Amino acid sequence: MPYTSDVAAAEALNDSYKKLTSEISKVVIGQDETVRLLLTAIFCQGHCLLVGVPGLAKTLLIQTISGALHLSFNRIQFTPDLMPSDILGSETLDQERNYKFIKGPVFANIILADEINRTPPKTQSALLEAMQEYAVTIAGQKFSLGRPFFVLATQNPIEQEGTYPLPEAQLDRFMFNIWLDYPSYRSELDIVKSTTNDERYEVQKVISGEEIQAYQHLVRRVPVVDNVIEYAVKLVHKTRPNTELASPDANQYLEWGAGPRASQALILAAKCNALLNGKYSPDIEDVRAVALPILRHRIVRNFKAEAEGISVEDLVKRMM
């Protein structure tokens, strides 16, 4: 959709964001922060990993967001016997005995990868190519995926038996690692009231794929002053133990720190966070607002931190 200026586009994005959150709140109650981060990732062309115990509406949240967007949506339930071809598609013989490629569920704009850690690395790596390259390779032939394309994956942190933890390289591809906690007492009262009656809420479609792509380009054009970029890069360097800018906590409690993708994600997400809050340029507070879900899955604690019960969240907050 053409706009007279980037300021007009920024105002349109802010307006669309308010409409989206209003539509999503009809179905999903008490997850405002999670909705903000998910929509931020979408406008930044990033992927999200949602971690939470069963029953916190992770799947419902993603389905509701896809319902508010004019985008195609597919859900993939990951299981130990899932093969790459079950995700990507495969070649079959048609009636004339010619090979024909049948597209798999990955050929959609939004992919819900449900319980992604329940499938073996071979299948996880098939999704990795799609996330990074926006294309898949079948029988030596490359097929491009439609844009926009987002992978929103879920994980259950409780039951680890029979699971395949995501490797660090694949975790790094996710822009945000969003931790869903139990709802507050008041929120749970509202959830029970709204879900135990016979009413069904219709979520209206708010934004088209073309608008999302326009907003993604807009986010990248947002100007950032040098001191904000320096703060973001310095924050990432603080997480790297035994380096020049490492914090004392990193040297004492971390095995590995975050890589350059974290610095890029911090600035992109800070730009989007500023726009969603009606500002035209991010400040240090915008970087802090997105730092935890960006760094949470990119730093690795050592044995000392685990033994003393010091969490990743504690370490990130100290470094900020």
Side-chain angles (χ1 to χ4, degrees):
M1 185 178 291
Y3 297 102
T4 55
S5 66
D6 281 351
V7 171
E11 289 170 355
L13 170 57
N14 187 259
D15 186 51
S16 297
Y17 171 68
K18 289 175 181 174
K19 289 178 182 174
L20 275 171
T21 52
S22 175
E23 287 298 318
I24 293 165
S25 64
K26 291 179 183 177
V27 178
V28 179
I29 299 167
Q31 297 286 9
D32 297 343
E33 177 68 7
T34 304
V35 170
R36 179 183 70 84
L37 290 172
L38 279 169
L39 293 177
T40 299
I42 286 173
F43 293 132
C44 291
Q45 202 173 342
H47 309 289
C48 279
L49 181 65
L50 279 82
V51 182
V53 298
L56 297 184
K58 298 185 295 294
T59 304
L60 175 65
L61 173 58
I62 295 170
Q63 287 175 331
T64 305
I65 287 176
S66 68
L69 305 172
H70 285 271
L71 299 175
S72 57
F73 168 77
N74 278 332
R75 172 182 175 174
I76 306 171
Q77 184 68 49
F78 281 74
T79 56
D81 60 349
L82 199 72
M83 298 297 290
S85 58
D86 296 328
I87 295 175
L88 307 179
S90 58
E91 286 191 326
T92 60
L93 286 171
D94 61 17
Q95 291 178 335
E96 285 75 36
R97 301 188 66 78
N98 296 317
Y99 280 105
K100 181 182 179 183
F101 177 63
I102 305 298
K103 291 182 177 180
V106 77
F107 286 87
N109 297 120
I110 296 181
I111 303 299
L112 166 54
D114 221 349
E115 296 197 275
I116 191 173
N117 58 331
R118 299 229 172 261
T119 203
K122 186 177 183 180
T123 306
Q124 290 176 359
S125 64
L127 188 64
L128 176 63
E129 182 192 5
M131 290 169 60
Q132 189 64 23
E133 306 295 335
Y134 297 96
V136 297
T137 305
I138 309 290
Q141 190 174 353
K142 201 164 190 174
F143 296 89
S144 296
L145 299 171
R147 299 289 189 97
F149 176 76
F150 312 105
V151 173
L152 306 177
T154 69
Q155 263 187 207
N156 176 357
I158 296 178
E159 190 185 1
Q160 296 302 316
E161 187 176 338
T163 62
Y164 304 83
L166 292 174
E168 301 302 322
Q170 188 159 353
L171 280 174
D172 196 37
R173 259 72 175 184
F174 287 99
M175 184 176 196
F176 290 138
N177 180 333
I178 304 171
W179 181 271
L180 276 77
D181 213 340
Y182 290 112
S184 66
Y185 172 72
R186 182 58 56 188
S187 293
E188 194 160 345
L189 277 178
D190 293 336
I191 290 168
V192 172
K193 287 176 184 177
S194 66
T195 56
T196 54
N197 58 34
D198 202 28
E199 289 184 60
R200 292 294 175 266
Y201 297 100
E202 189 76 22
V203 176
Q204 303 297 318
K205 294 191 183 295
V206 177
I207 306 181
S208 67
E210 291 77 15
E211 287 176 299
I212 290 172
Q213 288 180 288
Y215 291 147
Q216 288 172 346
H217 290 297
L218 172 69
V219 167
R220 289 183 172 270
R221 291 197 300 272
V222 170
V224 189
V225 293
D226 285 347
N227 74 302
V228 174
I229 297 176
E230 288 164 8
Y231 175 82
V233 175
K234 194 173 286 185
L235 176 58
V236 173
H237 273 259
K238 282 181 182 179
T239 69
R240 299 171 184 169
N242 305 315
T243 59
E244 185 183 355
L245 297 176
S247 74
D249 282 327
N251 290 330
Q252 191 173 4
Y253 295 116
L254 292 182
E255 194 79 33
W256 296 102
R261 272 202 194 97
S263 300
Q264 295 169 329
L266 280 171
I267 292 301
L268 266 180
K271 287 181 176 186
C272 186
N273 193 69
L275 291 177
L276 298 185
N277 285 291
K279 297 186 289 186
Y280 301 120
S281 181
D283 53 28
I284 288 173
E285 285 307 310
D286 290 302
V287 177
R288 287 178 175 153
V290 296
L292 187 55
I294 286 174
L295 296 174
R296 179 184 280 133
H297 56 301
R298 289 184 164 97
I299 61 179
V300 180
R301 293 177 300 162
N302 59 20
F303 177 77
K304 180 178 174 66
E306 292 181 19
E308 294 182 18
I310 297 172
S311 68
V312 168
E313 288 81 0
D314 294 333
L315 292 170
V316 172
K317 286 172 183 174
R318 286 185 201 176
M319 292 176 196
M320 285 195 288

